[in-house]
Amino acid sequence: MSDPVPAPHRRPVIAGLGITDMTRRIYGRTAPEFAVDAVRLALDDAGLELGDVQGLLTNAGITRGIGLSLQKDLGLRDLRLLSEIQAYGSSAGAMVQYASMAVSSGMVDVVVCVFADAPLQEGGGTGDAYAASRATPAGFSAIPYASGLRGAPSMYALAARRHMDTYGTTSEQFGAVAVAAREWAALNPLAQMREPITLADHQASRRIAEPLHLLDCCLVSNGAVALVITSGDRAAGLRQPPVHVLGWGQAHPGYVRERGSEFGLVSGATRSGPEALKMAGVTIQDVDVAEIYDCFTYTTVVSLEDYGFCEKGEGGPLAASGALGPNGTLRVNTGGGELSSYYLWGMTPLSEAVIQARGQGGARQSARHDVVLVSGNGGILDYHSTLVLSPHPHA
Amino acid sequence: MPVGPIHRDLPSTAFFDGTARGELLLRRCTACGHLCEPSTMTCPSCTGRTFDATPAAGGGRVVSWTVVHTRNGAGTVRTPVALVELDEGPWLEGQLVDVEPDRISTAMGVRVDFERAEGGEAIPVFRIV
Ligand SMILES: [Zn+2]
């Protein structure tokens, strides 16, 4: 195998970050409009112009609102790299990986990666937005919906229940994840939900799909996040401190639907985590900040276990110990995560990771941020990506 | 809530012919005999590509379950749905019918039955045994 580390001048760097306002619900704007705003914000952040963009990777959310036509919407000409990427919650990490490979190879110098979605409609429920779009009227894939399952919360409820039955994980332990996320969100001016919550609030929140309560679920949002990926050389003269992409991995387990399946018990992080850390030349003990895809509180628990922040089955007790909050021992989901800041698929953990790696987290900034791990999770634990970011280049 | 309407498509034609006559058709790999869940196209045991339709005996157990809450004008409707492991091995989602949601627990034995929404195909549901 060839050395995965590219020549120093072509090593990939995240040089720009653009996040549309998600501190409130914004209606009446389309996913392409959010995407155009986020890309312009990211380029401004980097100190680059639209004319500098050579590559564009798009990832559409549940409404399938953006795609190749975003090139036209941005007025971009003569792109030398353009694709739609779809790996659900692992897409954000995957886009950074593909962009990093394109930059490292010399194919292009500046690639923009963008996710946008606008599933919320005024007066409609968030669950409705997701469940309706997932409903397929015909064939095998329609059986879960016809049986009464309603999109991601009910499928993750099945996964969470299995974890609880197998390892003794409790709803109160999931609640500790939600409380910790909200404590971080209180420190994050970008977060939508900043009012403190207690474990009692979690337990009293209405049930969505038992065992999951409302406060176990993420904040479906309308908005977009964009990133600018370039080479270390190019980034040196730009506006922001560079964030080096030191390591990456993907893992898509392909669970079988039969006796012996590990569904609900493990995620792809068991594979993508070690791959990404090895490529970065670090171990899990070196990780200063972990930004974990937390579509549900359960997802944080199972991911922390699979990355090795605790033993298998100990994710619940770890959360209940208070380790995840601002006064805890780990630095996890420092912006409040998808549970309390905003849910834009894998862009939520990735955006906060960039902010932390730069040292721009303000009241929520981790004192140590040399190694920042980003976890993306899609499907029902089907698709997984990991990034290792750092303000420092490869040693 | 009752089961929802569902239509057949080309790959599910034989399956819904089966549910219409009260059979839950699994796919039996012609190469190795492995019994696969009904939508399988590649045998997870041997990567075989061809299958016979084989009716399941009908027994199984609850691998995991949820109670889905939906709101309508009158209040909240609670719908129990299980992930069931059939005695033959394959997994299938299905509504748990005629059971008080608070009585459900993992590993309970179930038996397949079929329900059909007006204008749709019959789909498998499960009763606690
Ligand atoms: Zn076979």
Side-chain angles (χ1 to χ4, degrees):
Chain A
M1 220 172 98
S2 61
D3 186 349
V5 181
H9 69 285
R10 296 228 60 91
R11 288 177 187 173
V13 160
I14 299 172
L17 171 65
I19 307 174
T20 63
D21 177 20
M22 280 170 289
T23 58
R24 61 198 174 88
R25 290 183 167 195
I26 297 174
Y27 302 109
R29 306 195 70 227
T30 65
E33 288 174 314
F34 286 122
V36 168
D37 285 352
V39 170
R40 297 183 77 109
L41 287 168
L43 289 168
D44 282 349
D45 182 61
L48 289 167
E49 309 279 335
L50 276 165
D52 295 316
V53 177
Q54 297 173 311
L56 176 65
L57 296 176
T58 69
N59 173 218
I62 200 75
T63 61
R64 302 286 184 268
I66 62 166
L68 299 178
S69 60
L70 194 64
Q71 177 184 18
K72 175 184 148 295
D73 295 337
L74 284 162
L76 294 173
R77 308 267 188 280
D78 301 322
L79 289 181
R80 288 189 277 139
L81 182 153
L82 173 66
S83 279
E84 299 177 17
I85 302 296
Q86 191 53 272
Y88 296 128
S90 69
S91 306
M95 284 197 292
V96 170
Q97 296 170 15
Y98 302 139
S100 293
M101 287 188 270
V103 164
S104 299
S105 72
M107 183 183 182
V108 282
D109 279 329
V110 176
V111 181
V112 168
C113 304
V114 60
F115 171 90
D117 207 2
L120 295 176
Q121 307 222 340
E122 201 149 17
T126 65
D128 302 341
Y130 258 61
S133 57
R134 285 282 173 88
T136 316
F140 292 114
S141 63
I143 291 179
Y145 189 85
S147 299
L149 293 172
R150 288 293 177 271
S154 51
M155 300 301 288
Y156 271 89
L158 294 172
R161 173 90 64 193
R162 198 151 192 251
H163 197 278
M164 295 165 85
D165 287 338
T166 305
Y167 301 115
T169 312
T170 66
S171 174
E172 289 79 4
Q173 291 168 348
F174 292 146
V177 175
V179 169
R182 189 60 62 88
E183 288 173 358
W184 281 113
L187 305 174
N188 181 6
L190 304 176
Q192 194 181 116
M193 302 289 248
R194 302 182 64 190
E195 293 296 311
I197 55 169
T198 64
L199 189 55
D201 293 331
H202 169 269
Q203 291 292 299
S205 66
R206 73 183 168 87
R207 305 258 189 173
I208 302 296
E210 299 175 32
L212 301 180
H213 293 261
L214 180 67
L215 290 178
D216 286 307
C217 305
C218 62
L219 292 171
V220 172
S221 304
N222 290 349
V225 172
L227 297 170
V228 179
I229 316 295
T230 188
S231 63
D233 262 13
R234 184 72 184 268
L238 297 180
R239 192 169 283 160
Q240 291 289 350
V243 175
H244 297 264
V245 187
L246 297 189
W248 58 72
Q250 294 183 28
H252 312 286
Y255 299 104
V256 289
R257 289 164 49 81
E258 63 177 32
R259 185 172 292 142
S261 171
E262 291 188 306
F263 170 78
L265 305 182
V266 298
S267 72
T270 54
R271 300 290 296 276
S272 64
E275 288 282 333
L277 292 165
K278 184 180 167 206
M279 182 175 171
V282 297
T283 70
I284 196 70
Q285 284 78 26
D286 297 320
V287 172
D288 298 313
V289 181
E291 304 296 349
I292 307 284
Y293 197 99
D294 57 339
C295 49
F296 299 94
T297 50
Y298 151 79
T299 319
T300 304
V301 168
V302 73
S303 301
L304 288 172
E305 294 171 356
D306 291 343
Y307 280 106
F309 289 102
C310 61
E311 295 296 315
K312 192 69 211 168
E314 293 298 316
L318 178 70
S321 76
L324 309 188
N327 298 317
T329 50
L330 296 175
R331 288 287 170 267
V332 173
N333 294 355
T334 49
E338 296 165 339
L339 294 169
S340 280
S341 66
Y342 52 85
Y343 176 62
L344 280 194
W345 289 17
M347 282 299 188
T348 302
L350 179 52
S351 56
E352 177 65 12
V354 170
I355 291 167
Q356 289 287 330
R358 287 176 175 178
Q360 296 174 346
R364 68 188 191 283
Q365 177 63 45
S366 170
R368 294 181 53 85
H369 52 96
D370 292 336
V371 180
V372 181
L373 181 139
V374 189
S375 175
N377 168 75
I380 316 301
L381 308 180
D382 297 288
Y383 315 109
H384 212 93
S385 65
T386 306
L387 296 173
V388 178
L389 307 181
S390 175
H392 313 296
H394 255 290
Chain B
M1 76 174 76
V3 300
I6 183 169
H7 300 289
R8 64 177 59 199
D9 58 7
L10 198 55
S12 61
T13 298
F15 178 79
F16 286 121
D17 282 344
T19 61
R21 58 178 188 266
E23 284 184 346
L24 172 54
L25 293 183
L26 303 177
R27 290 188 177 177
R28 195 188 66 88
C29 174
T30 55
C32 78
H34 192 74
L35 285 166
C36 310
E37 56 93 9
S39 68
T40 303
M41 287 199 274
T42 300
C43 173
S45 185
C46 79
T47 74
R49 179 74 182 92
T50 56
F51 302 90
D52 297 327
T54 303
R61 66 173 191 97
V62 172
V63 168
S64 191
W65 56 282
T66 179
V67 181
V68 179
H69 289 228
T70 44
R71 291 185 290 187
N72 60 22
T76 298
V77 180
R78 298 174 75 200
T79 307
V81 186
L83 187 57
V84 167
E85 181 171 298
L86 299 172
D87 290 340
E88 291 86 352
W91 285 12
L92 213 62
E93 294 97 352
Q95 196 170 116
L96 292 170
V97 296
D98 294 336
V99 62
E100 168 55 39
D102 297 324
R103 271 200 56 239
I104 301 165
S105 62
T106 300
M108 272 181 153
V110 295
R111 180 136 205 102
V112 74
D113 198 353
F114 300 90
E115 285 195 0
R116 190 176 72 83
E118 187 62 35
E121 303 284 353
I123 61 171
V125 297
F126 294 93
R127 292 175 194 282
I128 306 293
V129 293

